[in-house]
Each structure stands twice: as structure tokens, then as C-alpha cells.
Amino acid sequence: MNNQYDINIENSRPSDIRTTANINQNPYINQNANPTNATQQTNVEGTQSGFNTGDFVKGALIGAAVTYLLTNKNAQEKAFQVFGKGSELFQAGIEELKEKYEDMKAQMQANNE
């Protein structure tokens, strides 16, 4: 039986790549096979780690607060009341700024005349 396919992957690669390619150049292949690469992959002050305890705790607390707010009717009412009062104060501040602007504009016109 004649097999028309070559199952050796090395024979399927171009000849110039066989001599120049270095499998250790790809960081996703054989990461732990080369002991010299193991020292390069160490965690530097937690910046490369996939899990950070501080971030996890912050996320868990924020998630718990959002869940509480979305599921508790009283908490929703209080949050909207606080938001409403904050927006009223913001609107009052904007109105006050507009009034001060008009006063300064009128004073500048009075000084020019």
C-alpha cells in the first residue's frame, strides 16, 4: 500500500526554515521546556500574574454592592433620592454660575459706558 502523504512534519517545512528556525523563539510553544526561559517568566511584582488578590477583592466588593443595589428596592429608592438631590445641587450650581456671568457681563458693559 503506497502512502501518498508524508506524516513527518519536518518534511513539510521549507528547507531554508529547517535550518534557521528556532522553536524557542515562539513564547507560546514549549514555555516550560527550556529552563532558561523559566527564569524570564517569573512574576515581576505581580504585574504579569493573571490573578491579583487586591483586584479580586475590589471586584468582589463592587460586585456585591451592585448586586445589593439591583436587588434591594429600598436601596434603589435611596440611591435615586441621593442622585436626585445631587442633580438638583448641580443644577443650582449651574444657575448660580449663569447668574454670576450675567452680573459680570452687565458690570463690564456699565464700566465701558
Side-chain angles (χ1 to χ4, degrees):
M1 180 174 197
N2 188 4
N3 190 357
Q4 65 185 23
Y5 298 107
D6 189 357
I7 60 172
N8 185 354
I9 195 167
E10 293 299 325
N11 293 336
S12 66
R13 295 182 176 147
S15 61
D16 60 335
I17 292 179
R18 285 185 209 160
T19 57
T20 60
N22 182 359
I23 198 165
N24 293 326
Q25 290 174 344
N26 189 338
Y28 301 105
I29 297 176
N30 295 332
Q31 289 183 351
N32 297 325
N34 190 350
T36 59
N37 286 345
T39 58
Q40 296 172 356
Q41 295 175 2
T42 57
N43 190 1
V44 180
E45 297 179 16
T47 57
Q48 295 178 355
S49 176
F51 182 78
N52 188 345
T53 306
D55 289 341
F56 175 76
V57 171
K58 284 186 236 175
L61 291 175
I62 291 171
V66 169
T67 302
Y68 176 74
L69 181 65
L70 293 176
T71 58
N72 190 331
K73 194 104 173 143
N74 292 334
Q76 290 174 4
E77 291 173 0
K78 293 288 182 187
F80 284 120
Q81 287 176 355
V82 168
F83 179 74
K85 287 183 182 185
S87 65
E88 287 176 13
L89 289 173
F90 181 74
Q91 284 292 345
I94 294 295
E95 294 298 324
E96 186 68 28
L97 285 175
K98 286 180 183 177
E99 188 177 319
K100 286 183 180 182
Y101 173 74
E102 292 297 327
D103 289 345
M104 284 193 294
K105 187 176 176 183
Q107 186 178 10
M108 287 174 55
Q109 286 179 352
N111 287 342
N112 287 338
E113 294 176 355

